[in-house]
């Protein structure tokens, strides 16, 4: 039994497996587990990759093609003759090149160091990556990059440059996709157009092989690169900032250059290993002096022409914005028309945030490879800046006020092209363009634009028209009333329009602006001449024509307005951008000159002739004394200054160009001081013109202002500007638009008997002694002096500060036609006698002085004289308020005795004590043949009250004028015509 059990047990034990079967089983399970591990790892990797790229878009072929071919391209600006100004503002220099223009030498050098298996791999070079890892781990002397060109391109176009594992995975996947949709030539070309190469010799960061060759070696043609230079460039993209031979301002960096040369040697070695060059070429390249071939240092355009480059950028960006808006509007209109029932577009793109849109346009300009051709003449620009950059031409800087600033602009009259400008004196101190961006009060330079031009064109005035330089009372909300003054602190009465402009008198211009033309019409006219800064408040500012604007004007706009006069009344909007060409060579913008005839040629000529005498006889004496080319280039112009001389201007033009100049400080509260500063705009204007004429004489081809048809010369009354009559005794001869030659006769004068009191003429009271009455030709002005006095006195009640009444009296007030009766009333008693009568001798002639009577009804004073004890005879009379001194002309050698009497309006007379004798009883006074103060209206060179001679104010008929009636008082006078604006030209 025991044996049976043993046998049974032995049969039940499984047979022992061989070692081969056991090994097979292990392999099987290892394989199964390996597959499971691979599937698990693959899933994990796939999950990891998916988590990385889940937010990364799947880029279409079209998108890849578009973004790879899209390049930021450097733009350039040019002078009017095609000379380069420089590249548009950016810290980068990018220049695009086509594959066929890339030399094989450059391709060999780049591929040798960056991707020697470029044509074999599909975007990823595993052997190259492993080799790079090995070189890195072993710190080998020769190290090559692990990324293919395709990977580098993918990274630069689609990814950021941060060194992360996530980016590397995205880079690999993108590289595979790029290789699928792009050819090797396209990838290589895109790479060589996009990678950075460090700084060029002007400090710009150069991108792309073409910009690198130009910026580092000064070569426009890549075929001119030799092996050493090509290898040098090929080595830079790995670490462009570390290898850059130039810093950010173009200075040589010896340390970085040394590193770049070590890198170049590596490139040459790789080229030799790849059989791209021979041993001989390798050795020759090593011996080549790279440093000697580097491009010379050049300043950036923004260092050489900083103001001009910024202005070019601004104006070109505005044009691109306008083009973009037009395209947007067209597309919106098409969409609206294509959609039935559409409510229409949402309007212009500019209706949103204009600042954002303008910045987008500026970025488009900076990176789009545009070429901007300006109207700036390099010689003109340089000549203008030779004046502004010479500190000797300016007042020394002030610690309180800062630097004396200036701005100027020169415009071609025929086209409106801006030929040159002075934007400021120091770009490092102030980047604002004072010529185009600054808005300042124009002062009297606004008078021709908003007063004289529209008045001339409407026929309200001609150069010989008579304007009244007398005060006006304006309402002032804060002060009650305002009485404008002239700069010379006096009022000159009736003057010609030419004289008023010559002397820049404020009151005639204000009256034209307010009363003749009207404020609304004046500003409408100014707007037609390109003045865009007029505000709603300015329509309520009655002093706007003399510079009282809310904001003011720019130098550009004011110069532009004056250029229309030089262009015979045709206005061209000033422009600086002639054309813009895109990166493909297509002209996307071309300026078109579109003149608008705002006023007649006759008006332009008359205005020009009036502005001529501003220089020869008026306020622009500094221009007259400083300008050197009167014989060759005729000029005309207008001065201007603001209150307290916060600004001074001169606007002048020739038949060909207009130049406007402004001088002041950055803050208008800092005023110009002293005669030199107050005339600085005139001085600089003349100096700039002298410099421009010398450097660019070809601009000044027109030798005279051509007189158009319809201009005639005429002699008219100097009282009214109308045709003379037999009573007329003052005349002026000047130019007229034939349409507006006067046809009415002189009604500005009359013969009247009157009495003078405090410089004002009155109708005499009955009983007033005849010897105090005057009878002569008097002026019948539009507003009689008596009415003016009433207005002034009424205004004084509402004013805290004002001058005396006498201050506001015009110098010809004594010649005014009387309309009011003498206000003095007889008190029924004799007046108190004059006191303190004394005699002295001046140049051997007697001078009798006295103190005025205290009686309010005194009409005047009489002087009596006795010779050698004889009877006293009346010598002269003086009206009350005129003077308290007699000068009878009696010689000191005569044995003379004098006394003075006071006479009231009723004829009562009171004698003073006599001087050198006893006071006799006054005799009846005979009417003298000639009494002081009763002469005819001053003629020739004689002005009332000893005033200084002013051409154009007192004008008599030129001898032999056929237009003056025979036998008139003017011919009888026989005086010579005074030189000045009112006479023939």
């Amino acid at each position: 039994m025991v044996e049976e059990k043993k046998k049974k047990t032995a049969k039940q034990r499984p047979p022992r497996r061989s070692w081969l079967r056991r090994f097979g089983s292990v392999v099987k399970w290892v394989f199964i587990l390996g597959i499971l591990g691979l599937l698990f790892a693959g899933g994990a990797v796939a999950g990891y990759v998916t988590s990385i790229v889940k937010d990364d878009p799947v880029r279409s072929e079209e998108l890849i093609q578009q973004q790879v071919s899209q390049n930021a391209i450097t733009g350039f600006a040019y002078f009017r003759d095609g000379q380069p100004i420089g590249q548009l503002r950016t810290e980068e220099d990018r220049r695009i090149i086509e594959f066929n223009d890339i030399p094989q030498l450059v391709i060999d050098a780049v591929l040798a160091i960056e991707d020697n298996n470029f044509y074999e791999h599909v975007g990823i070079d595993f052997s190259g990556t492993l080799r790079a890892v090995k070189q890195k781990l072993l710190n080998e002397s020769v190290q090559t990059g692990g990324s293919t060109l395709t990977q580098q391109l993918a990274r630069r176009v689609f990814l950021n440059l941060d060194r992360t594992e996530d980016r590397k995975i995205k880079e690999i996947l993108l590289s595979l996709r790029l290789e699928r949709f792009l050819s090797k030539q396209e990838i290589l070309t895109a790479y060589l157009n996009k990678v950075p190469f460090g700084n060029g010799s002007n400090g710009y960061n150069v991108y792309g092989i073409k910009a690198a060759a130009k910026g580092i070696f000064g070569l426009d043609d890549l075929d001119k690169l030799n092996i050493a230079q090509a290898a040098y460039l090929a080595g830079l993209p790995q670490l462009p900032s570390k290898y850059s031979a130039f810093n950010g301002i173009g200075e040589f960096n010896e340390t970085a250059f040394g590193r770049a040369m070590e890198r170049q040697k590596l490139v040459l070695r790789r080229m030799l290993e790849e059989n791209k060059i021979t041993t001989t070429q390798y050795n020759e390249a090593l011996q080549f002096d790279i440093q000697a071939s580097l491009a010379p240092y050049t300043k950036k355009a923004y260092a050489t022409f900083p103001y001009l480059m910024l202005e070019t950028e601004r104006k070109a960006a505005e044009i691109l914005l306008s083009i973009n808006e037009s395209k947007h509007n067209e597309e919106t209109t098409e969409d609206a028309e294509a959609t039935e029932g559409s409510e229409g577009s949402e309007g212009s793109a500019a209706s949103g945030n204009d600042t954002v849109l303008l910045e987008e346009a500026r970025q488009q300009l900076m990176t789009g490879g545009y070429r901007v051709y300006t109207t700036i003449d390099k010689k003109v620009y340089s000549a203008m800046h030779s004046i502004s950059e010479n500190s000797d031409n300016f007042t020394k800087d002030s610690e309180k006020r800062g630097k004396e600033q200036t701005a100027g602009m020169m415009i071609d009259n025929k086209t409106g092209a801006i030929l040159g400008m002075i934007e400021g004196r120091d770009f490092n101190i102030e980047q604002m363009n004072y010529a185009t961006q600054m808005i300042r009060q124009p002062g009297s330079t606004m008078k021709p634009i908003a007063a004289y031009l529209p008045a001339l064109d409407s026929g309200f005035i001609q150069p010989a028209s008579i304007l009244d330089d007398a005060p006006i009372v304006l309402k002032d909300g804060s002060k009650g009333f305002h009485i404008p003054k002239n700069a010379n602190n006096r009022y000159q009465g009736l003057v010609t329009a030419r004289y008023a402009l010559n002397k820049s008198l404020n009151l005639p211009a204000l009256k034209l602006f307010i009363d003749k033309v009207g404020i609304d019409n004046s500003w409408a006219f100014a707007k037609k001449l390109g003045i865009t800064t007029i505000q709603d408040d300015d329509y309520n500012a009655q002093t706007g024509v003399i510079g009282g604007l809310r904001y003011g004007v720019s130098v550009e706009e004011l110069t532009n307005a004056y250029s229309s006069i030089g262009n015979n009344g045709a206005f061209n909007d000033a422009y600086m951008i002639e054309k813009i060409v895109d990166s493909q060579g297509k002209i996307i913008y071309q300026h078109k000159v579109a003149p608008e005839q705002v006023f007649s040629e006759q008006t332009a000529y008359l205005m020009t002739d009036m502005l001529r005498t501003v220089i020869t006889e008026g306020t622009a004496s500094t221009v007259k004394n400083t300008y050197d080319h009167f014989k060759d280039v005729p000029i005309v112009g207008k001065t201007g200054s603001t209150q307290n001389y916060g600004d001074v201007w001169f606007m002048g033009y020739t038949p060909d160009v207009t130049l406007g100049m402004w001088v002041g400080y950055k803050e208008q509260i800092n005023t110009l001081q002293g005669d030199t500063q107050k005339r600085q705009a005139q001085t600089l204007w003349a100096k700039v013109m002298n410099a421009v004429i010398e450097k660019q004489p070809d601009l000044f081809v027109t030798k005279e202002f051509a007189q158009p048809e319809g201009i005639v010369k005429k002699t008219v009354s100097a009282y009214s500007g109308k045709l003379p009559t037999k009573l007329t005794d003052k005349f002026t001869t000047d130019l007229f638009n034939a349409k507006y030659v006067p046809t009415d006769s002189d009604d500005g004068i009359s013969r009247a008997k009157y009495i003078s009191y405090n410089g004002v003429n009155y109708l005499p009271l009955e009983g007033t002694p005849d010897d105090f009455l005057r009878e002569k030709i008097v002026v019948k002005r539009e507003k009689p002096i008596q009415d003016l006095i009433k207005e002034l006195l009424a205004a004084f009640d509402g004013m805290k500060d004002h001058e005396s009444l006498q201050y506001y009296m015009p110098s010809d007030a004594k010649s005014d036609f009387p309309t009011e009766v003498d206000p003095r009333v007889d008190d029924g008693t004799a007046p108190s006698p004059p006191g303190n009568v004394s005699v002295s001798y001046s140049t051997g002639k007697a001078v009798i002085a006295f103190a005025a009577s205290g009686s309010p009804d005194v009409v005047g004073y009489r002087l009596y004289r006795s010779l050698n004890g004889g009877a006293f005879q009346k010598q002269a009379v003086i009206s009350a308020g005129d003077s308290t001194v007699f000068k009878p002309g009696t010689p000191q050698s005569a044995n003379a005795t004098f006394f003075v009497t006071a006479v009231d309006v009723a004829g009562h007379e009171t004698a003073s004590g006599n001087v050198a004798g006893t006071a006799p009883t006054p005799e009846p006074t005979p009417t003298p043949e000639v009494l002081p103060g009763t002469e005819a209206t001053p003629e020739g060179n004689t002005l009332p009250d000893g005033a200084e001679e002013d051409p154009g104010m007192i004008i008599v008929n030129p001898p032999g004028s056929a237009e003056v009636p025979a036998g008139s008082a003017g011919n009888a006078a026989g005086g010579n015509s005074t030189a000045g604006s009112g006479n023939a030209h």
Side-chain angles (χ1 to χ4, degrees):
M1 291 293 292
V2 174
E3 290 179 0
E4 290 179 358
K5 288 180 180 180
K6 288 181 178 180
K7 290 180 181 179
K8 186 175 182 180
T9 300
K11 289 180 180 180
Q12 290 178 345
R13 181 180 297 171
R16 182 177 294 178
R17 290 186 299 179
S18 68
W19 68 269
L20 186 60
R21 292 182 62 187
R22 287 197 302 271
F23 177 76
S25 177
V26 170
V27 169
K28 178 180 71 174
W29 283 107
V30 168
F31 177 76
I32 292 173
L33 291 174
I35 293 295
L36 291 175
L38 287 173
L39 289 175
F40 178 79
V45 170
Y48 176 65
V49 171
T50 301
S51 68
I52 292 175
V53 301
K54 64 181 179 66
D55 296 324
D56 210 34
V58 177
R59 295 170 177 85
S60 65
E61 179 181 359
E62 181 181 2
L63 179 62
I64 289 174
Q65 289 279 5
Q66 177 186 350
Q67 291 194 250
V68 167
S69 61
Q70 184 177 4
N71 290 287
I73 309 173
T74 300
F76 293 87
Y78 301 89
F79 289 107
R80 71 190 302 220
D81 62 356
Q83 291 186 66
I85 300 173
Q87 69 182 64
L88 297 175
R89 182 176 56 166
T90 174
E91 291 304 314
E92 301 174 358
D93 185 357
R94 297 177 182 264
R95 309 183 187 210
I96 303 305
I97 194 169
E98 300 296 330
F99 179 80
N100 292 334
D101 296 323
I102 304 173
Q104 187 61 45
L105 172 63
V106 171
I107 296 174
D108 290 343
V110 170
L111 294 183
I113 191 64
E114 293 292 343
D115 192 353
N116 64 326
N117 292 323
F118 175 70
Y119 288 107
E120 286 73 39
H121 64 65
V122 292
I124 306 169
D125 184 0
F126 290 106
S127 61
T129 301
L130 293 175
R131 181 182 67 247
V133 170
K134 178 180 73 72
Q135 292 169 349
K136 189 72 173 177
L137 292 174
L138 298 179
N139 195 26
E140 295 181 4
S141 59
V142 176
Q143 293 189 8
T144 56
S147 296
T148 64
L149 291 189
T150 312
Q151 287 176 263
Q152 295 181 49
L153 179 63
R155 178 196 318 154
R156 184 159 295 278
V157 174
F158 298 105
L159 305 173
N160 60 46
L161 302 181
D162 296 336
R163 294 180 177 275
T164 64
E165 294 180 359
D166 290 359
R167 192 212 68 192
K168 197 67 177 178
I169 293 173
K170 293 179 181 179
E171 179 184 301
I172 291 172
L173 295 176
L174 273 170
S175 298
L176 296 172
R177 197 162 180 80
L178 260 61
E179 291 276 352
R180 177 182 174 189
F181 296 129
L182 300 176
S183 68
K184 290 291 186 179
Q185 286 186 359
E186 289 174 324
I187 293 172
L188 182 57
T189 304
Y191 172 84
L192 287 176
N193 275 325
K194 292 180 183 296
V195 293
F197 287 82
N199 296 321
S201 62
N202 52 13
Y204 288 113
N205 294 320
V206 290
Y207 284 79
I209 189 66
K210 186 173 183 179
K214 176 65 176 177
I216 297 173
F217 294 117
L219 300 176
D220 290 304
D221 186 354
L222 267 64
D223 287 324
K224 294 181 179 180
L225 289 170
N226 59 33
I227 294 174
Q229 292 170 324
Y232 181 90
L233 294 179
L236 299 179
Q238 184 191 49
L239 292 172
S241 60
K242 183 178 179 180
Y243 297 145
S244 180
F246 303 100
N247 63 16
I249 57 175
E251 296 173 339
F252 181 70
N253 185 331
E254 186 173 357
T255 301
F257 176 72
R259 290 192 289 260
M261 287 305 298
E262 291 300 317
R263 178 74 174 167
Q264 182 231 26
K265 293 174 183 177
L266 172 59
V267 176
L268 289 172
R269 196 182 318 167
R270 289 292 301 141
M271 293 178 73
L272 180 63
E273 292 171 357
E274 295 291 328
N275 295 318
K276 300 301 181 182
I277 56 175
T278 65
T279 302
T280 300
Q281 290 173 320
Y282 171 77
N283 292 327
E284 289 176 351
L286 289 176
Q287 296 301 315
F288 181 76
D289 189 348
I290 287 287
Q291 184 173 347
S293 72
L294 292 175
Y297 166 72
T298 56
K299 287 186 177 181
K300 296 179 181 179
Y302 281 84
T304 308
F305 303 108
Y307 282 120
L308 182 56
M309 291 301 295
L310 280 180
E311 190 63 24
T312 301
E313 174 188 318
R314 272 194 294 267
K315 291 188 181 296
E318 289 171 358
I319 291 172
L320 286 185
L321 174 60
S322 178
I323 293 173
N324 294 340
E325 286 180 341
S326 297
K327 290 180 179 178
H328 173 81
N329 290 339
E330 289 175 4
E331 293 171 357
T332 304
T333 301
E334 291 175 1
D335 292 343
E337 291 175 351
T339 305
E340 186 176 356
S342 170
E343 295 182 1
S345 69
E346 293 182 1
S348 167
S351 61
N353 190 328
D354 289 348
T355 303
V356 173
L357 293 174
L358 184 60
E359 177 59 24
E360 290 177 356
R362 192 186 71 81
Q363 290 299 327
Q364 177 185 348
L365 178 72
M366 296 298 100
T367 60
Y370 294 96
R371 297 181 181 270
V372 182
Y373 294 85
T374 74
T375 60
I376 300 297
D377 186 298
K378 187 175 183 179
K379 291 182 179 179
V380 171
Y381 189 84
S382 298
M384 295 178 71
H385 277 256
S386 70
I387 303 301
S388 65
E389 292 171 7
N390 184 351
S391 60
D392 293 339
N393 291 326
F394 297 89
T395 306
K396 186 178 180 180
D397 294 356
S398 166
E399 291 185 7
K400 179 180 178 181
R401 292 174 288 162
K403 181 180 288 291
E404 181 183 86
Q405 278 291 359
T406 188
M409 180 165 287
M410 182 172 285
I411 295 177
D412 185 310
N413 293 339
K414 299 297 185 295
T415 64
I418 298 173
L419 301 175
M421 69 180 84
I422 296 172
E423 307 92 333
R425 289 186 57 204
D426 192 336
F427 184 79
N428 294 321
I429 294 176
E430 178 59 66
Q431 285 76 51
M432 180 181 73
N433 186 331
Y434 281 88
T436 62
Q437 295 179 296
M438 175 192 68
I439 304 296
R440 296 294 274 262
Q441 297 299 332
S444 293
T445 56
M446 186 56 73
K447 291 173 183 174
I449 303 303
Y452 286 94
L453 273 174
L456 283 168
D457 205 49
S458 301
F460 293 131
I461 64 166
Q462 295 291 281
S465 295
I466 303 302
L467 304 175
D468 195 357
D469 181 32
I472 57 175
V473 178
L474 303 177
K475 291 184 178 180
D476 188 322
S478 61
K479 299 178 182 178
F481 295 97
H482 170 57
I483 306 175
K485 299 178 181 180
N486 287 317
N488 60 10
N489 277 311
R490 62 191 180 108
Y491 302 89
Q492 295 177 237
L494 298 182
V495 295
T496 63
R498 180 187 293 274
Y499 178 85
L501 187 62
N502 283 354
K503 301 300 183 182
S504 198
L505 302 179
N506 289 335
L507 279 302
L510 285 169
K511 291 174 181 179
L512 290 176
F513 177 67
I514 298 169
D515 301 326
K516 295 290 186 183
V517 180
I519 296 177
D520 288 358
N521 292 333
S522 292
W523 289 145
F525 191 91
K527 287 180 178 180
K528 289 182 181 179
L529 298 183
I531 305 296
T532 65
T533 52
I534 304 300
Q535 303 297 306
D536 291 343
D537 292 352
D538 294 326
Y539 287 84
N540 301 318
Q542 294 176 299
T543 57
V545 74
I546 59 175
L549 300 173
R550 180 176 182 183
Y551 295 124
V553 296
S554 69
V555 176
E556 177 182 1
E557 289 192 353
L558 192 55
T559 307
N560 197 188
Y562 271 82
S563 72
S564 68
I565 315 174
N567 195 33
N568 304 316
F571 173 74
N572 285 304
D573 199 10
Y575 70 102
M576 199 186 93
I577 307 301
E578 188 65 54
K579 66 179 178 179
I580 299 177
V581 180
D582 68 12
S583 60
Q584 304 301 313
K586 178 183 177 182
I587 298 176
I588 64 167
Y589 170 80
Q590 177 73 60
H591 180 82
K592 295 181 180 179
V593 177
E596 178 187 356
Q597 196 73 37
V598 178
F599 49 95
S600 71
E601 294 183 19
Q602 292 76 21
T603 294
Y605 184 78
L606 294 176
M607 188 77 260
T608 293
D609 200 62
M610 292 171 72
L611 293 174
R612 174 180 62 82
T613 51
V614 168
I615 294 176
T616 60
E617 300 165 12
T619 56
S621 59
T622 301
V623 169
K624 179 181 178 180
N625 297 330
T626 311
Y627 180 64
D628 295 336
H629 299 277
F630 279 106
K631 293 182 179 179
D632 307 318
V633 182
I635 60 170
V636 304
K638 181 69 185 76
T639 57
S641 61
T642 56
Q643 190 171 14
N644 299 324
Y645 292 91
D647 310 90
V648 292
W649 302 76
F650 189 78
M651 291 285 146
Y653 56 91
T654 76
D656 299 300
V657 305
T658 298
L659 171 65
M661 292 294 300
W662 165 88
V663 175
Y665 287 96
K666 180 180 180 180
E667 303 297 335
Q668 195 173 24
I669 193 173
N670 294 323
T671 58
L672 300 164
Q673 299 175 3
D675 190 62
T676 299
Q677 278 198 312
K678 291 176 181 179
R679 293 178 174 270
Q680 185 71 299
Q682 294 187 53
T683 303
L684 294 178
W685 189 95
K687 288 183 176 181
V688 167
M689 282 297 297
N690 290 339
V692 172
I693 291 172
E694 290 170 6
K695 288 192 175 182
Q696 189 63 301
D698 293 343
L699 284 178
F700 305 92
V701 296
T702 309
K703 300 306 178 183
E704 63 179 7
F705 292 99
Q707 179 176 309
E709 295 182 357
I711 298 294
V712 297
K713 186 181 293 184
K714 197 76 172 176
T715 298
V716 295
S717 167
Y719 296 108
S720 63
K722 298 180 181 180
L723 298 179
T725 66
K726 290 183 178 181
L727 196 61
T728 307
D729 63 350
K730 289 171 37 177
F731 308 87
T732 181
T733 302
D734 212 323
L735 302 177
F736 284 81
N737 183 337
K739 288 174 56 178
Y740 301 119
V741 171
T743 57
D744 296 333
S745 297
D746 187 6
D747 60 359
I749 54 175
S750 178
R751 185 172 292 278
K753 183 179 287 189
Y754 61 92
I755 188 164
S756 225
Y757 174 49
N758 286 333
V760 179
N761 297 338
Y762 293 98
L763 297 171
L765 293 168
E766 185 177 352
T768 300
D770 287 344
D771 57 342
F772 290 98
L773 302 184
R774 302 176 183 180
E775 184 174 356
K776 64 174 184 177
I777 294 174
V778 288
V779 178
K780 299 175 67 175
R781 63 205 321 143
E782 188 172 341
K783 175 177 286 186
I785 295 297
Q786 288 89 342
D787 293 349
L788 174 62
I789 290 174
K790 290 178 182 178
E791 287 189 14
L792 290 170
L793 292 175
F796 289 170
D797 292 338
M799 297 175 66
K800 294 180 180 179
D801 299 309
H802 60 80
E803 308 291 345
S804 67
L805 179 64
Q806 193 59 38
Y807 173 91
Y808 297 106
M809 290 297 99
S811 58
D812 63 352
K814 293 180 180 180
S815 299
D816 199 51
F817 183 84
T819 59
E820 299 285 336
V821 177
D822 188 347
R824 292 167 291 191
V825 179
D826 178 27
D827 60 8
T829 63
S832 60
N836 300 324
V837 178
S838 64
V839 64
S840 61
Y841 290 88
S842 175
T843 65
K845 301 293 179 67
V847 177
I848 295 90
F850 61 94
S853 167
S855 300
D857 61 347
V858 170
V859 73
Y861 304 90
R862 292 175 179 147
L863 173 68
Y864 292 87
R865 183 189 70 181
S866 169
L867 294 176
N868 299 316
F872 279 90
Q873 298 290 328
K874 185 174 68 175
Q875 295 296 297
V877 299
I878 292 177
S879 295
D882 283 358
S883 176
T884 57
V885 176
F886 284 103
K887 296 180 180 180
T890 304
Q892 189 172 5
S893 58
N895 183 15
T897 304
F898 303 93
F899 74 90
V900 180
T901 66
V903 184
D904 68 15
V905 293
H908 302 124
E909 185 174 15
T910 303
S912 68
N914 67 309
V915 179
T918 59
T921 302
E923 301 176 356
T925 304
T927 302
E929 294 182 5
V930 179
L931 295 178
T934 61
E935 304 90 344
T937 303
E939 298 169 344
N941 296 326
T942 305
L943 298 183
D945 295 335
E948 180 183 355
E949 177 181 344
D950 286 320
M953 186 177 78
I954 299 299
I955 311 161
V956 298
N957 177 51
S961 172
E963 298 188 57
V964 180
S968 71
N971 285 335
N976 293 325
S977 173
T978 61
S981 61
N983 297 321
H985 299 275

